[in-house]
Amino acid sequence: MATAIAHPNIALVKYWGKQSGSGNLPATPSVSITVAGLTTTTRVVAADRDSLRIDGQVRRDSKVNALFDAMQDAFELPPISIETRNDFPTGAGLASSASGFAALVTAIDGEFDLGLTPQERSAWSRRGSASAARSIFGGFATLASGDGTWTATELLAKDAWPLEVVIAVTAETPKPVSSSEGMERSRTTSPFYDAWCRSTEADFETACRAVAERDFGSLSEVAEHSCLKLHALMLSSRPALLYWNQATIKAIETVRRLREAGTPVFYTIDAGPQVKAVCAPGQGGGVAAVLARSPGVLRVARGGLGDGARIADDTRRRD
Ligand code: 2P0
């Protein structure tokens, strides 16, 4: 059996919307940070028949099935038993599908000695969930098209700019509309969708430059813009996608107040009600203490930047 671990990533320039056709290709480029402190652990072992357990529950998942069918065809693999655990809420806007598919592909690669490169693991992960392509890499990652192909790459190593992340959890329940369904709804119904696609390339370039120059102010500005633009797109979809709750808005106000008082911090929010505060190095403790008292926040989780998906050395065993 092989066991892999992977962390979720948080997009600073968001992906939302797919190209038509197969391969799960995004319509827009994205920039993310991989976050330590939240972990998916996935164990894969050859078996008599395919099976999947998530957090101890037997599950059927069409995306997992489709990805594994494709890998079985490509590499002539036997059936597998998959057991995966998240040490954080699943499907609640904390990118469990990103860490989940990155860990799954890494575990399959390890179990069957496929010898895939990180780029190849990333491409397979993307077929499961596009954001998962970024969790193969640690630190800062991009998912963008070059020469007509979409690939994720590491933009900057985690130690080169050790930002910190505080996650204000405002609800632990799964989101009402999945990201895949939500982004298709936005593509087909929002009058803002074309503008979203057109304007994201410039955000991507700005964010890449800000990361290269360790320019926290510039990264803050473009990340909050991308986040609010994404949620404007969601709100303008029909029926509207509203992932926030009252505590989400209070937490935004809390982060804004902290920044006005001089703390280098910005917020970002994905397809769920959790608020992720990204802090300059050394600022996480103070931000966590304040966000924990923001009205409606259930708890806060803290982490630094994490490593990419990898085999957990001490759990790998060959029979
Ligand atoms: C992101 N999100 O860039 C954006 C921001 C949520 C909001 O990628 O359909 O689970 O499996 O490719 O990757 C969530 O969507 O969607 C996502 P699929 P995915 O992180």
Side-chain angles (χ1 to χ4, degrees), residues 100-319:
F101 280 105
L104 175 60
V105 169
T106 301
I108 291 172
D109 178 40
E111 169 64 359
F112 298 107
D113 287 325
L114 302 182
L116 300 179
T117 65
Q119 295 292 344
E120 289 168 333
R121 282 188 289 127
S122 178
W124 280 108
S125 303
R126 192 205 64 230
R127 292 170 65 144
S129 203
S131 56
R134 302 183 309 234
S135 273
I136 293 295
F137 300 98
F140 298 78
T142 59
L143 176 58
S145 76
D147 305 333
T149 59
W150 279 80
T151 45
T153 46
E154 184 183 282
L155 181 61
L156 188 70
K158 67 185 173 82
D159 297 334
W161 198 20
L163 301 184
E164 296 178 38
V165 178
V166 177
I167 299 174
V169 176
T170 67
E172 307 261 15
T173 46
K175 58 188 146 197
V177 180
S178 74
S179 292
S180 299
E181 189 185 334
M183 61 181 81
E184 182 59 8
R185 190 184 296 179
S186 297
R187 186 182 73 81
T188 53
T189 66
S190 171
F192 302 157
Y193 184 75
D194 288 345
W196 160 258
C197 292
R198 266 200 317 277
S199 61
T200 296
E201 185 68 39
D203 298 342
F204 176 79
E205 298 297 335
T206 302
C208 289
R209 205 165 41 243
V211 170
E213 295 171 356
R214 281 49 146 199
D215 182 341
F216 193 83
S218 171
L219 188 62
S220 304
E221 205 280 327
V222 73
E224 289 190 356
H225 173 67
S226 178
C227 165
L228 293 179
K229 193 163 52 178
L230 167 68
H231 287 273
L233 176 69
M234 291 166 162
L235 289 170
S236 66
S237 305
R238 285 183 164 171
L241 297 159
L242 175 54
Y243 287 108
W244 298 2
N245 59 33
Q246 292 181 42
T248 311
I249 295 175
K250 290 283 182 199
I252 290 174
E253 290 169 353
T254 300
V255 172
R256 284 182 163 179
R257 267 200 306 276
L258 273 166
R259 189 164 59 234
E260 280 159 20
T263 302
V265 59
F266 66 86
Y267 63 83
T268 189
I269 305 157
D270 294 298
Q274 331 301 358
V275 176
K276 292 108 183 212
V278 181
C279 319
Q283 302 291 331
V287 170
V290 175
L291 265 177
R293 295 195 303 272
S294 189
V297 170
L298 304 175
R299 61 187 177 87
V300 294
R302 259 184 83 187
L305 300 193
D307 290 314
R310 59 211 179 269
I311 292 291
D313 295 335
D314 54 346
T315 53
R316 179 139 190 228
R317 173 173 64 74
R318 285 256 146 245
D319 292 324

Side-chain angles (χ1 to χ4, degrees), residues 11 20 36 64:
S20 54
V64 171

Side-chain angles (χ1 to χ4, degrees), residues 75 251 312:
F75 301 109

